């Protein structure tokens, strides 16, 4: 109601009515972007306000690696700018002793008591260059800088890919900070390469049980 909207304006420092709290009705359903998905187990998966999928997972180790590469780039002033995790807007951030971008291989993942399917890598856009504190594009981190960095290391044929779009096996799934993450199955090499935009490779597929923290 208006009381909530007024509180948001005051809390966020708006001088004129600006913010509103929105709700996505339960009967309002948007199908996930099936044309982008390579690992969706069946149909009927929906999302609300999210762009294409309800969940976006990112590995902290992947973020650490891209920041390391940024610090090594002559065109990126790492003293002024760090690729803050908020720029990539994941709702699942996975920490632990895990290889950077290992989630390119992940297919089915158990987080706490919930089962998630990692269905397609997330193609990043110009929003990654927006400062999450000022809401302005950084002068020294323009698309020709930040996205060029991602494109250099994370473009295999279909754009700068960073993080994984996911669906949950159940709408009742509850995920909590500190939950254990198990990788229960991995993609085949052909499926992985198709998703990343690579030409098919001859790498063997593998199935392992991995343990991380969310």
């Amino acid at each position: 109601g208006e009381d909530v909207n007024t509180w948001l304006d005051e809390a966020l420092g708006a001088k004129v009515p600006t913010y509103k709290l929105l709700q996505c009705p339960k009967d309002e359903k948007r199908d996930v972007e099936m044309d982008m998905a390579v690992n969706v187990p069946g149909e009927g998966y929906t999302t609300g306000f999210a762009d294409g999928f309800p969940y976006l997972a990112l590995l902290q180790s992947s973020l650490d690696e891209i920041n390391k590469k940024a610090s090594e780039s002559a065109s990126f002033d790492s003293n002024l700018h760090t690729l803050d995790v908020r720029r990539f807007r994941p709702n699942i951030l996975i920490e632990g002793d895990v290889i950077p971008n290992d989630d390119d291989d992940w297919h089915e993942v158990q987080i706490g008591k919930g089962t998630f399917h990692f269905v397609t890598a997330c193609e990043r856009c110009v929003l990654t260059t927006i400062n999450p504190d000022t809401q302005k594009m950084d002068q020294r981190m323009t698309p020709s800088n930040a996205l060029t960095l991602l494109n250099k290391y994370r473009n295999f044929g279909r754009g700068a890919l960073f993080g994984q779009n996911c669906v949950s096996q159940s709408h009742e799934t509850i995920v909590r900070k500190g939950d254990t993450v198990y990788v229960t199955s991995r993609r085949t090499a052909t499926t992985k390469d198709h998703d990343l935009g690579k030409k098919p490779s001859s790498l063997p597929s593998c199935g392992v049980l991995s343990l991380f923290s969310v």
Side-chain angles (χ1 to χ4, degrees):
E2 289 302 319
D3 290 343
V4 174
N5 298 337
T6 300
W7 182 89
L8 286 172
D9 286 333
E10 293 175 352
L12 297 174
K15 296 181 179 180
V16 297
T18 303
Y19 299 100
K20 293 182 181 295
L21 180 65
L22 302 180
Q23 179 182 11
C24 189
K26 292 184 178 180
D27 57 352
E28 181 69 25
K29 297 180 180 179
R30 294 172 48 235
D31 293 334
V32 299
E33 296 181 349
M34 294 293 291
D35 58 326
M36 294 294 295
V38 296
N39 289 318
V40 174
E43 299 180 352
Y45 291 91
T46 61
T47 186
F49 289 120
D51 187 13
F53 295 89
Y55 303 103
L56 174 61
L58 181 67
L59 303 184
Q60 181 63 49
S61 60
S62 301
L63 181 62
D64 292 342
E65 182 186 57
I66 204 67
N67 271 310
K68 181 176 182 295
K69 294 185 181 300
S71 68
E72 298 168 351
S73 172
S75 62
F76 189 97
D77 191 342
S78 60
N79 292 320
L80 294 179
H81 300 293
T82 299
L83 290 174
D84 189 296
V85 67
R86 292 176 294 168
R87 295 182 185 271
F88 302 102
R89 307 175 307 282
N91 44 20
I92 298 177
L93 179 65
I94 299 173
E95 300 176 338
D97 185 14
V98 53
I99 299 171
N101 304 306
D102 190 53
D103 50 340
D104 287 339
D105 284 337
W106 296 3
H107 178 198
E108 186 175 283
V109 178
Q110 182 178 335
I111 303 178
K113 296 182 179 180
T115 299
F116 291 81
H117 295 274
F118 282 42
V119 297
T120 183
C122 181
E123 184 176 353
R124 311 317 303 223
C125 68
V126 69
L127 288 181
T128 59
T129 68
I130 302 297
N131 186 311
D133 294 316
T134 65
Q135 305 302 308
K136 296 180 180 179
M137 184 177 292
D138 296 328
Q139 292 182 353
R140 296 182 63 88
M141 197 171 79
T142 63
S144 62
N145 198 330
L147 287 185
T148 295
L149 184 71
L150 286 175
N151 273 306
K152 183 177 181 179
Y153 298 106
R154 291 293 302 163
N155 191 330
F156 307 103
R158 74 167 181 92
L161 307 177
F162 199 55
Q164 297 289 324
N165 292 302
C166 316
V167 295
S168 174
Q169 200 170 60
S170 170
H171 292 297
E172 305 301 323
T173 296
I174 296 176
V175 174
R176 295 181 174 87
K177 183 177 179 180
D179 277 352
T180 299
V181 178
Y182 296 92
V183 180
T184 55
S185 69
R186 290 179 177 263
R187 302 174 183 176
T188 64
T190 300
T191 301
K192 171 188 173 182
D193 290 343
H194 171 72
D195 183 41
L196 298 180
K198 290 182 178 180
K199 294 180 179 179
S201 71
S202 58
L203 294 175
S205 60
C206 59
V208 299
L209 183 67
S210 304
L211 173 62
F212 313 114
S213 296
V214 69

